[in-house]
């Protein structure tokens, strides 16, 4: 049996970032990931999965020393955001210059994030990467957990972290209750090249079937996230590139002109999930394992990165006080800190989705009025921008750019 202080199950963006926050500390850490890592890719094209990384998340990456590697690979800043309503006249335009800032955030390909995180982890003296490995059994004692993998490795730890995504095995094994439902939408993702430049702007048009986002990439390309009914998504996947380009520019009111190049396409079903608890004795849940939301506000992974920054800070404090990191008195602090913040974001994203999902005349009129009112009121826009940039609320040290040690 190998003995660790912390075993993290799930080496996605959130689990791997947690491992980076713990790299080169006195803690012994194991990161278990079931899929083989695929960190090489062809020079041409982009990852179909991208994330709008907030300024707060950027600071977390900077503080743990992985941001420069992402910049060296490829990141795309967005300085403005333009949101408008297909069902009315509402328009809101956000500009980082209104905050005296350079960017609102960056669009980063998920594989670029993963590559930078794993480059850091392979240099860490105290992190064992168990990849590929799948968790098979967990045994709990009063002061530790024992984990058995399908590769017949046996590990013990004071703290088990479930970072294994929306369908978390760790969460269900621990009997944590969830509230979940389908948004009855799928997100069609691809990347396209348009006739007119995107002007480093993130564009989002709210259509009756769901929001359509154009997110700026390099060389005049944009990443597309088109949330729509599952039936429409299936039709969009069936179209040839020319027909898809036409459907896309039409749905986008030709804002960036003709679509002259289309990448491969994929669709992801969208669902909401919220857990009753983030912690149990010797267990903490982070990222999509604890909460999964609609991508319309581009906040899913950013919330997960804030979870990780808060958990790392609480572990650090516990170590300084000589406390057991798996003790509920320690873990409850993490839960109290993150649950309230996450809940506020989950509720506002769900509220937005409902508001834009209705076709009732009065609601359409009111939302147009509300959007235009917001657009004309710079202080309110400033508050919204700071929230969306991950710069407001009770920020963990790492999200403020302060190293833990
Ligand atoms: C279309 C779309 C667009 C999005 N855009 C954005 C955006 O712009 N900005 C944003 O912030 N968020 C965005 N999100 C949300 C974001 O992608 C997720 O919140 C994020 O990927 C969650 O990361 P995670 O590491 O918690 O989980 P995951 O990415 O699901 O990673 C979980 C990992 O655990 C591994 N695993 C699972 N089970 C086991 C097991 N039993 N044993 C070992 N390993 C296991 C998996 O292989 C995986 O690597 C988007 C989501 C979608 C669907």
């Amino acid at each position: 049996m190998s003995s660790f202080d912390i075993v993290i199950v799930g080496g996605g963006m959130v689990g791997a970032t947690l491992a980076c926050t713990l790299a080169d500390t006195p803690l012994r850490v194991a990161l278990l990931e079931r899929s083989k890592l695929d960190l090489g890719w062809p020079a041409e094209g982009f990852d179909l999965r991208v994330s709008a990384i907030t300024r707060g998340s950027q600071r977390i990456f900077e503080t743990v020393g992985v941001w420069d590697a992402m910049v060296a690979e490829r990141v795309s800043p967005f300085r403005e955001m333009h949101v408008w309503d297909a069902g009315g006249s509402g328009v809101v335009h956000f500009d980082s210059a209104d905050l005296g800032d350079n960017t609102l955030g960056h669009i980063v390909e998920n594989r670029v994030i993963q590559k930078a995180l794993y480059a850091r982890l392979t240099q860490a003296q105290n992190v064992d990467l168990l990849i590929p490995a799948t968790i098979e059994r967990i045994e709990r004692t009063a002061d530790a957990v024992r984990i058995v993998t399908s590769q017949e490795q046996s590990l013990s730890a004071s703290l088990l972290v479930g970072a294994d995504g929306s369908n978390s095995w760790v969460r269900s094994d621990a009997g944590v209750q969830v509230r979940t439902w389908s948004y009855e939408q799928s997100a069609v993702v691809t990347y396209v090249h348009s006739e007119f430049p995107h002007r480093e702007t993130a564009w989002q048009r709210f259509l009756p079937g769901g929001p359509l986002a154009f997110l700026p990439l390099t060389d005049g390309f944009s990443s597309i996230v088109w949330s729509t009914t599952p039936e429409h998504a299936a039709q969009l996947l069936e179209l040839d590139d020319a027909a898809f380009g036409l459907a896309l520019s039409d749905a986008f009111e030709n804002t960036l002109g003709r679509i002259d190049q289309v990448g491969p396409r994929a669709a992801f079903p969208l669902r909401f999930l919220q857990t009753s608890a983030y912690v149990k004795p010797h267990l903490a849940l982070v990222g999509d394992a604890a909460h999964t939301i609609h991508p319309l506000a581009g906040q899913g992974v950013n919330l997960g990165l804030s979870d990780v920054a808060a958990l790392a800070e609480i572990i650090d404090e516990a170590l300084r006080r000589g406390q057991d990191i798996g003790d509920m008195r320690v873990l409850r602090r993490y839960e109290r800190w993150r649950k309230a913040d996450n809940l506020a974001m989950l509720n506002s994203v769900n509220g937005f989705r409902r508001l834009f999902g209705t076709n009732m005349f009065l609601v359409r009129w009111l939302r147009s009025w509300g959007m235009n009112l917001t657009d004309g009121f710079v202080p309110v826009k400033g508050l919204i921008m700071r929230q969306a940039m991950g710069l407001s609320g009770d920020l963990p040290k790492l999200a403020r750019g302060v190293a833990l040690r």
Side-chain angles (χ1 to χ4, degrees), residues 308-371:
V308 156
L311 184 58
E313 189 170 326
I314 275 160
I315 291 172
D316 188 55
E317 276 171 19
L319 291 175
R320 285 174 205 278
R321 292 178 187 160
Q323 289 176 298
D324 173 1
I325 56 172
D327 191 294
M328 280 302 269
R329 278 166 295 190
V330 172
L331 296 176
R332 280 252 186 263
R333 288 208 291 274
Y334 159 68
E335 179 177 75
R336 270 200 307 271
W337 191 352
R338 290 304 305 152
K339 212 172 172 193
D341 271 11
N342 287 337
L343 201 62
M345 183 57 82
L346 298 185
N347 286 339
S348 38
V349 168
N350 284 342
F352 262 111
R353 204 196 66 83
R354 269 196 294 274
L355 184 65
F356 284 93
T358 178
N359 222 3
M360 283 168 62
F361 172 77
L362 186 63
V363 179
R364 282 194 288 134
W365 183 84
L366 275 173
R367 73 182 183 223
S368 290
W369 175 78
M371 285 175 85

Side-chain angles (χ1 to χ4, degrees), residues 9-16 32-35 49-54 107 110 114 133-136 163-170 187-189 215 225 268-270 286-289 291-295 297-304:
V9 178
M13 293 184 283
V14 172
L32 236 117
E33 167 56 45
R34 70 175 168 201
S35 312
R49 296 292 306 271
V50 305
S51 300
I53 293 298
T54 62
I107 306 299
N110 289 5
Q114 291 282 52
T134 309
I135 192 164
E136 197 167 87
D164 49 344
S166 194
N167 295 317
S168 171
W169 186 95
V170 172
V188 174
V189 296
L215 307 171
V225 184
F268 298 90
L270 300 177
V286 292
D288 272 26
H291 44 75
T292 308
I293 49 168
H294 197 287
Q299 289 294 335
V301 80
N302 291 297
L303 296 183

Side-chain angles (χ1 to χ4, degrees), residues 41-53:
W41 51 80
E44 290 196 349
F46 297 86
D47 193 353
L48 295 188
R49 296 292 306 271
V50 305
S51 300
I53 293 298

Side-chain angles (χ1 to χ4, degrees), residues 61-76:
F61 286 148
E62 281 167 351
T63 318
V64 299
V66 294
W67 178 249
D68 286 349
M70 294 180 203
V71 173
E73 193 75 46
R74 183 162 61 191
V75 303
S76 312

Side-chain angles (χ1 to χ4, degrees), residues 59-133:
R59 284 185 191 159
I60 296 172
F61 286 148
E62 281 167 351
T63 318
V64 299
V66 294
W67 178 249
D68 286 349
M70 294 180 203
V71 173
E73 193 75 46
R74 183 162 61 191
V75 303
S76 312
F78 59 100
R79 305 182 196 284
E80 296 174 48
M81 192 185 296
H82 193 83
V83 181
W84 75 110
D85 181 8
S89 58
V91 177
V92 188
H93 185 83
F94 298 101
D95 189 339
S96 54
D98 288 342
L99 291 180
D101 230 314
N102 229 345
T103 63
L104 290 173
H106 288 80
I107 306 299
V108 191
E109 293 157 80
N110 289 5
R111 66 189 185 188
V112 168
I113 297 176
Q114 291 282 52
K115 188 175 173 182
L117 293 171
Y118 280 94
R120 172 73 188 95
L121 290 177
T122 47
Q123 287 164 10
Q125 301 296 318
N126 63 327
V127 180
D128 283 17
L129 298 177
L130 306 179
I131 303 173

